[in-house]
Amino acid sequence: MKHLLSAADLSREEAVGILDDAERWAATQGREIKKMPTLRGKTVVNLFFEDSTRTRISFETAAKRLSADVINFSPKGSSVSKGESLKDTVLTLGAMRIDGIVVRHSACGAPYQIAHSGWTDASVVNAGDGTHQHPTQALLDAMTMRRHLVEGDVRGQDLRGRRVTIVGDVLHSRVARSGVNLFRTLGAEVSLVAPATLLPVGVDGWDCDVFLNLDEALDVAPPDALMMLRVQRERMSSAGGGFFPSPEEYAREYGLDTRRLARLASHTIVLHPGPMNRGLEIASPAADGPRSVVTEQVANGVAVRMAVLYLTMTGSKE
Ligand code: CP
């Protein structure tokens, strides 16, 4: 696999293979010396046109643990602020014989353009493009779910028979789109829950159940994994932006509070891709409580990205 652009491109076998590889890489991360010479001599550029904490640092950590050289790029402080185009930026990287480009961009499809334009020979990994895809987030979420919801040896296993419920700002969420693609490929049932204003046009055609009422969704299709999405206020025109009447009403109707937390089955885990709006989509007792796997998601992200960088930059499994 030369590029990872979309969770929708992965077959069940490919996805399970990446998750299995990630388990092997994760096993190396408990050692005192976490670094391996695997990608020595390769150079990875983190090309981030949008802000990030988890994804950028996680990719940087993963690449460095594999001994790749890592260069972090952001538009501020680069020639993008002087008007340089994406094409010329990537041509410049190509001329420097970069081996891997990890790209986050506000434009849906930007990673596809970089991968398939002929501007570079580098492997391209999508670290989030607009509202479209965030495939490594879906993989780290699946790894976290598999560890909690599959009994015994997880290797070779998928998420068949489990239900994943994704709640909140689906409209603006690349995490939701990638998640629906990957979790369905892995055999899970998926529910989406959101107010009508935060559901994309055409969601009825997605391969999942759709609910407008969170309490109904929890009753009718109890989740094994409950993923609360961030309300992406920066993608709304103004605070709330008319998508919901008030933050208080959103929290009441769609937030994971202590009342809803108490209704979940004893084995149900709570996920959030981060960054969290505490008190809006998730209350602190849910974010910090024993069901929360939020920090495990972050830890698993490093192992998943080691697997993806290795796979795309060498073309082979571990
Ligand atoms: N989950 C995620 O993509 O977080 P960042 O925006 O901090 O990278």
Side-chain angles (χ1 to χ4, degrees):
M1 185 187 297
K2 168 94 171 160
H3 310 294
L4 178 60
L5 303 174
S6 170
D9 295 339
L10 295 172
S11 66
R12 179 203 174 274
E13 287 63 37
E14 287 171 325
V16 169
I18 293 172
L19 297 180
D20 290 352
D21 283 351
E23 290 293 343
R24 293 187 197 98
W25 289 117
T28 68
Q29 296 306 292
R31 299 178 187 162
E32 195 177 337
I33 310 280
K34 300 177 182 63
K35 192 163 175 162
M36 280 148 293
T38 321
L39 291 183
R40 191 165 53 198
K42 305 268 189 192
T43 305
V44 176
V45 172
N46 279 330
L47 191 62
F48 274 56
F49 291 87
E50 274 192 339
D51 294 342
S52 169
T53 296
R54 275 147 290 272
T55 312
R56 192 188 61 71
I57 295 174
S58 178
F59 268 111
E60 182 173 354
T61 304
K64 285 182 170 169
R65 298 259 166 96
L66 295 170
S67 298
D69 295 310
V70 183
I71 297 163
N72 288 310
F73 171 100
S74 63
K76 201 166 173 225
S78 80
S79 288
V80 171
S81 62
K82 301 175 201 162
E84 188 163 41
S85 66
L86 180 64
K87 175 178 177 176
D88 287 330
T89 302
V90 174
L91 283 173
T92 302
L93 299 180
M96 294 181 199
R97 312 213 38 173
I98 298 301
D99 301 290
I101 297 178
V102 177
V103 60
R104 171 170 285 192
H105 202 288
S106 58
C108 299
Y112 289 79
Q113 195 169 16
I114 294 171
H116 298 302
S117 60
W119 301 337
T120 173
D121 292 333
S123 292
V124 178
V125 179
N126 184 355
D129 60 328
T131 59
H132 181 224
Q133 279 283 322
H134 193 352
T136 57
Q137 178 72 42
L139 285 162
L140 73 87
D141 291 338
M143 179 178 177
T144 308
M145 290 176 202
R146 196 171 74 152
R147 281 185 160 197
H148 280 270
L149 303 177
V150 172
E151 301 206 345
D153 186 356
V154 298
R155 286 171 301 172
Q157 303 291 315
D158 59 22
L159 296 172
R160 203 167 306 261
R162 277 57 175 199
R163 178 165 291 270
V164 183
T165 299
I166 302 174
V167 184
D169 185 358
V170 177
L171 178 66
H172 300 108
S173 181
R174 53 198 175 207
V175 174
R177 282 169 183 77
S178 314
V180 171
N181 292 148
L182 185 70
F183 307 150
R184 290 295 296 132
T185 297
L186 291 171
E189 302 300 327
V190 179
S191 304
L192 292 178
V193 188
T197 49
L198 288 175
L199 285 171
V201 173
V203 74
D204 292 341
W206 294 19
D207 187 17
C208 59
D209 302 310
V210 179
F211 295 88
L212 298 177
N213 183 297
L214 176 54
D215 292 311
E216 183 194 353
L218 297 180
D219 280 341
V220 172
D224 301 294
L226 181 59
M227 180 186 294
M228 307 308 295
L229 296 174
R230 181 170 70 88
V231 174
Q232 299 194 34
R233 286 186 273 202
E234 77 278 14
R235 296 193 203 274
M236 301 177 185
S237 51
S238 58
F243 289 94
F244 46 85
S246 69
E248 293 75 19
E249 187 162 331
Y250 182 90
R252 192 165 58 245
E253 298 298 325
Y254 293 97
L256 182 58
D257 54 16
T258 47
R259 180 179 62 85
R260 291 193 176 109
L261 201 58
R263 293 180 49 195
L264 301 177
S266 58
H267 69 276
T268 301
I269 55 172
V270 171
L271 299 95
H272 192 299
M276 293 186 278
N277 294 307
R278 287 174 183 258
L280 186 55
E281 70 266 4
I282 190 165
S284 283
D288 302 327
R291 294 174 186 280
S292 172
V293 294
V294 172
T295 53
E296 287 177 49
Q297 289 173 267
V298 175
N300 293 338
V302 175
V304 157
R305 286 162 181 142
M306 289 174 81
V308 167
L309 287 174
Y310 184 71
L311 183 64
T312 53
M313 291 177 66
T314 69
S316 48
K317 295 173 71 137
E318 190 199 15

